[in-house]
Amino acid sequence: MNDLPPDLPRLRTLETWLILTLDRVRRQIADAERREEELQRGIEARPPEPDWLIERGLSGRDAVYVHVGGCWSAGKRSKSVTQEQALHALAEGVKPCPQCEPDNALGFLD
């Protein structure tokens, strides 16, 4: 059983439609590949995660918490700091984050 039309004009029409459809599919594939490449380049170009963070309060001046870099609880007002700055902040009374416990990671004892 043949499901294609028997006459040449309709076969040519079908051929044209298939070519146009295949071209659209190939363009979509190229666009998807380009998006994937851009995403991968973005991931590779991402700066490294900081080791330590200090989260500021709403005023932007007062330190609220010290975090281990990458802590899920660190707010948007967090800034990357060195290990010495994190230790100094803890010594000055800035609270350690209760989730990531930077005081334990730094070996800080009250």
Side-chain angles (χ1 to χ4, degrees):
M1 180 164 158
N2 192 357
D3 57 347
L4 295 175
D7 58 301
L8 187 58
R10 286 192 292 173
L11 285 170
R12 290 289 182 202
T13 301
L14 183 58
E15 177 186 38
T16 302
W17 181 82
L18 288 171
I19 289 170
L20 293 173
T21 301
L22 182 58
D23 286 344
R24 285 182 51 215
V25 169
R26 286 181 174 156
R27 282 193 305 272
Q28 286 289 100
I29 289 171
D31 289 344
E33 287 173 342
R34 194 170 23 261
R35 283 191 305 272
E36 286 292 321
E37 289 170 4
E38 289 171 3
L39 177 65
Q40 190 60 36
R41 277 196 308 271
I43 290 170
E44 291 169 1
R46 188 176 293 159
E49 190 173 90
D51 292 331
W52 310 102
L53 299 167
I54 290 185
E55 182 177 350
R56 303 274 176 202
L58 290 175
S59 69
R61 288 183 301 246
D62 301 326
V64 179
Y65 285 114
V66 176
H67 296 275
V68 172
C71 174
W72 63 268
S73 180
K76 292 186 178 192
R77 294 179 306 273
S78 297
K79 179 183 171 196
S80 174
V81 295
T82 65
Q83 181 175 354
E84 292 77 28
Q85 291 170 316
L87 280 167
H88 182 69
L90 290 171
E92 292 290 317
V94 177
K95 295 178 185 175
C97 170
Q99 278 72 36
C100 64
E101 300 178 334
D103 50 341
N104 292 339
L106 286 165
F108 181 78
L109 302 173
D110 286 332

